Amino acid sequence: MCVSMYSAVWSREETTERNYYTRYHNMSEITAWMEQMKRENPDVVSSMVYGQTYERRNITLLKIGLSSTVRKKAIWMDCGIHAREWIAPAFCQYFVREILRTYKTDTKVNEMMKNLDFYITPVLNVDGYIYSWHNESTRLWRKSRSPGTGGCTCYGTDLNRNFYANWGMVGVSTDCCSETYCGTKALSESEAWAVTDMLGKMREDILAFLTIHSYSQLILVPYGHPNISAPNYDELMEVGLGAAKAIKAVHGMDYTVGTSPDVLYANSGSSRDFARLIGIPLSFTFELRDKGEHGFELPEDQIQPTCEEAYAGAQHIITYTHDKAFYSYAATVTATLWTTLLAAWVSSAILL
Amino acid sequence: MDWTLLILLVVPTVVHGNPTVTVRTGSGPPVGSDQHPNSVPLSEETQTTTEVREVVVEEVMMTGVLNPSHYPARRAATVVQHYLNTRYGSPYRWIFLSKVHSGSAEDVAEMRKYQLELTMQEIISNVSGQCSAELLFPGGEGQSAPQVQASCEGLLQSNTTAQEEAFYQQHRASNNMVSGNDIPDSYGHMEPNMKPFWHLGGVASSFIMLKESNESTLYNMAQVANFTQLETEKDQLRVNYHVLLHEMISQEIIHWKLLVTWSPEQGVQVLQTELQPKCHNCEAPPNTTN
């Protein structure tokens, strides 16, 4: 009887689970979901609070990977830096579920889980996200929820203009009522500081940085300033175009690839630019569906197809990153090993 | 035996080669990119107590052949989209840009002239058509609307007559005025009977978006905040709309009120528009919990 009760509970979870990833979830639900991911996958999932929002809420990431005795390389993904882009946290949840669902059976995902740790922040701008759930009139909130200063009475700084990456130079406003207000100074916002702090600690280990937004169907490469080119621009474009091709193969959707000043608008102080500046070689912004018909209010029946295609795009980038790091590395190690053995054999042959 | 051992040592090394990673070099600058704007000039805007600046790159305007995936062509193409909706849109016909194939821009006197080859899609019937368009953005100090000419093939194929007529007959009688709000809602959802009013709101918004567009803007309608049907007059359905427009470059949400009329014969007309001021002090207080 105990066995049948257990399986009844299990199948109810599974049934709701199939619907869970096709709906938007508020912050309490996402927090509870993070706990559930840890509980259900204790050997591969742990969480880390790495900062606080203005309103003193925890900023939490999930660290996902097979445990290892040696230090591992990492992939960073954050969602929900802009509150109204609800499809982004939905994608982070989907991504986590997908790698947990497939790592035991899919050899490639398993290999990546073995060699890499995924650091995934489902909601970065927690205050803003909660505010956007408050009522219909707050749904289109974008920024953080810190108060204005110096006589300016509006709330919020655009977190994606607040990073220490050509801060304040272009595509920003110094009016605290503006949607692209860059803050009183770089890293004035604790949320931006939290990410900066983590990336700084991990910078030698992070191979790729993905930040998820909506809408416009774009894959953006550094930098946001029109006069500055990333040293590996060609590589970034190649990998980005590969990701766009993978996306298109899923549901036929076109995602345009390029620098922000080329395909969208110039901007400074973005997290993507900061990541590239501190040396993370592959740094991308994903702008998910759609192209303006629904905009930020993407219907729930599009969550699944959007996540499926974005997953394919992200996996293209992650696979490239992984293979570049581990196949080259393996070749070097193997060559060294065999050369050593050969030398030893040759010298022993001579001596005999 | 010695040779066998040597081969056995060598072969695994060869097998663990690098996977081919082709990095395309020499891809060159994108077509038509003269784009190296000047360093940032600041335009001073004084408000009541604080001095604020909009820090923008003075965009050196692209001239010559345009890269179809870059923003100048796409912004201009979106203006064409708005134009087509003002001409052909209805509660059952709503047109969106599908793809930019090619474009060019040039300076003509004080103005900026664009030529574009586009695919547009009518999103209710999913019919696509090829369009050729010419736009003129006025130069100088004036805030006047861009002028657009466009001809499309195949775009208006869908037969909307029956649906439009049914919708018109359903709503022209004055005994049941319709109203609605938050279309789509926070989850992107709307009731089926609200959809034609959503389309109509989008088409009506196109009049504003067309008029407000320039080379530094990209408009979409984010939401119909609310609409109220008024008494039918002169055989036109009349609806008051409050719409939220999203301007992509500034990321602002801009509130407009419009008075819209429609009938199958006359099409969509916008009789009045009123920009709503951005409400700085009507934000909910902090500590809003879930």
Side-chain angles (χ1 to χ4, degrees), chain A residues 49-241:
Chain A
V49 174
Y50 64 99
Q52 308 268 274
T53 64
Y54 175 77
E55 290 174 351
R56 308 268 185 90
R57 296 190 177 93
N58 285 341
I59 304 173
T60 312
L61 60 76
L62 291 176
K63 178 184 168 190
I64 305 176
L66 290 162
S67 55
S68 161
T69 44
V70 300
R71 196 164 120 190
K72 291 172 73 179
K73 295 292 179 185
I75 304 285
W76 174 280
M77 187 186 297
D78 64 71
C79 296
I81 191 172
H82 289 139
R84 59 193 180 197
E85 299 165 12
W86 284 14
I87 186 63
F91 173 66
C92 266
Q93 291 190 284
Y94 178 94
F95 183 90
V96 165
R97 195 279 302 260
E98 210 44 30
I99 58 176
L100 290 175
R101 190 178 69 82
T102 57
Y103 81 94
K104 286 180 178 159
T105 50
D106 183 314
T107 38
K108 192 64 188 174
V109 178
N110 188 279
E111 185 189 7
M112 296 202 286
M113 288 274 271
K114 196 168 57 141
N115 293 331
L116 301 168
D117 283 330
F118 293 88
Y119 288 75
I120 300 177
T121 304
V123 182
L124 177 52
N125 181 5
V126 181
D127 293 349
Y129 190 68
I130 289 174
Y131 188 70
S132 74
W133 277 80
H134 181 59
N135 61 39
E136 284 287 351
S137 75
T138 62
R139 172 64 176 83
L140 295 175
W141 188 260
R142 168 181 168 89
K143 302 186 285 179
S144 69
R145 288 294 298 163
S146 57
T149 58
C152 183
T153 56
C154 299
Y155 278 78
T157 293
D158 186 342
L159 293 175
N160 209 34
R161 303 286 186 279
N162 191 243
F163 282 79
Y164 197 61
N166 299 308
W167 178 84
M169 299 230 68
V170 68
V172 300
S173 174
T174 54
D175 177 359
C176 92
C177 296
S178 283
E179 296 287 11
T180 55
Y181 176 56
C182 55
T184 48
K185 57 180 182 181
L187 303 181
S188 59
E189 306 305 293
S190 53
E191 297 87 345
W193 169 244
V195 174
T196 299
D197 193 38
M198 272 304 281
L199 292 185
K201 287 176 179 147
M202 294 172 59
R203 62 191 267 198
E204 281 163 35
D205 299 330
I206 303 182
L207 300 176
F209 176 94
L210 300 177
T211 181
I212 314 296
H213 294 242
S214 75
Y215 61 91
S216 285
Q217 292 175 212
L218 306 169
I219 297 176
L220 302 173
V221 306
Y223 289 107
H225 195 292
N227 290 352
I228 307 171
S229 277
N232 62 333
Y233 171 79
D234 286 345
E235 181 188 29
L236 286 161
M237 284 301 293
E238 167 108 11
V239 178
L241 287 163

Side-chain angles (χ1 to χ4, degrees), chain A residues 169-170 174 177 179 215 262, chain B residues 53 55 57 71 246 252 278:
Chain A
M169 299 230 68
V170 68
T174 54
C177 296
E179 296 287 11
Y215 61 91
D262 278 347
Chain B
R53 330 173 255 134
V55 185
V57 172
Y71 76 78
H246 174 234
E252 296 293 331
K278 186 173 172 181

